């Protein structure tokens, strides 16, 4: 495995509640990504980071924010969770001239 | 990144070679062919990638045609644990997202 952990691995929350997912890497990769995976849609990019404090939006960024204050950590925040954000969230590292490696995923259920 | 086309599903007997095809007829010169797989509920797992030459590692072999318009991933001795969805992706290592598409669902049977 590529030294990527995600926490929590499973979470159930209620609509309107803020939620933060954490991705932690031990590989010192500059690039980090957050994807979500839903049936019928495959993996879609939410946000990515190309360095500490450098982030950009992906295909499905509405309702999500990210922060990267250290190389090893990339946080994904749902400011006010909605049922449409029920999904499996994957973090990945690598990318620019490098292979992307994925974490184990976080299953989020918003009731 | 170029679009790829893969069969929706394939079967393979345990112990036999699994040959998974991929068409990428519009691939550009700086795009690599990447293969990932996803076993149920797990994160996508990198398998192998190549640009022009055939590649082999401990998991699989990748055969790329000379015109680079198609490729084949070969699992030489498939096991039940190779049952997964396999994704072929054309990617320029630009730093942006991978486009996973729908992939091929491989079922390895006893």
């Amino acid at each position: 495995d590529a030294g990527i952990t995600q926490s929590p691995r499973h979470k159930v929350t209620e609509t309107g509640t803020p939620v933060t997912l954490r991705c932690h890497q031990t590989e010192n990769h500059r690039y980090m990504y957050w994807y979500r995976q839903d049936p019928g849609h495959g993996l879609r990019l939410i946000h990515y980071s190309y360095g500490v404090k450098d982030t950009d939006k992906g295909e499905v960024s509405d309702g999500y924010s990210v922060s990267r204050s250290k190389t090893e950590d990339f946080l994904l925040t749902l400011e006010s969770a909605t049922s449409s954000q029920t999904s499996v969230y994957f973090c990945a590292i690598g990318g620019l001239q490098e292979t992307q490696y994925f974490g184990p995923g976080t299953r989020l259920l918003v009731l | 990144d170029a679009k790829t086309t893969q069969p929706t599903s394939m079967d393979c007997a345990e112990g036999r070679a699994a040959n998974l095809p991929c068409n990428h007829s519009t691939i550009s010169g700086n795009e690599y062919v990447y293969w990932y797989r996803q076993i149920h509920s797990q994160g996508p797992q990198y398998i192998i990638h190549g640009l022009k030459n055939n590649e082999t590692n401990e998991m699989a072999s990748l055969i790329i045609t000379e015109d680079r318009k198609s490729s084949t991933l070969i699992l030489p001795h498939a096991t039940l644990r190779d049952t997964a969805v396999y994704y072929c992706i054309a990617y320029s290592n630009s730093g942006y997202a991978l486009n996973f598409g729908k992939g091929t669902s491989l079922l390895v049977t006893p």
Side-chain angles (χ1 to χ4, degrees), chain A residues 25-39:
Chain A
Q25 61 150 328
T26 59
E27 307 296 320
N28 203 36
H29 277 283
R30 180 181 162 199
Y31 277 65
M32 297 184 74
Y33 307 79
W34 277 108
Y35 292 82
R36 61 178 287 176
Q37 186 172 34
D38 306 288

Side-chain angles (χ1 to χ4, degrees), chain A residues 31 33 35 37 40 42-43 45 48 57-59 90 95-104 107, chain B residues 32 34 36 38 40-46 49 87 91-98 100-102:
Chain A
Y31 277 65
Y33 307 79
Y35 292 82
Q37 186 172 34
L43 278 89
L45 183 68
Y48 70 105
K57 297 179 180 180
E59 177 187 358
F90 291 104
L96 182 63
Q97 302 303 320
E98 297 174 320
T99 298
Q100 286 191 32
Y101 294 96
F102 286 78
R107 290 186 172 275
Chain B
Y32 293 80
Y34 274 84
Y36 285 80
Q38 190 170 24
H40 182 63
S41 298
Q42 298 182 19
Q45 179 187 21
Y46 165 76
H49 76 283
Y87 298 95
Y91 184 61
S92 62
N93 279 346
S94 62
Y96 198 63
L98 292 167
F100 276 79
K102 297 189 184 303

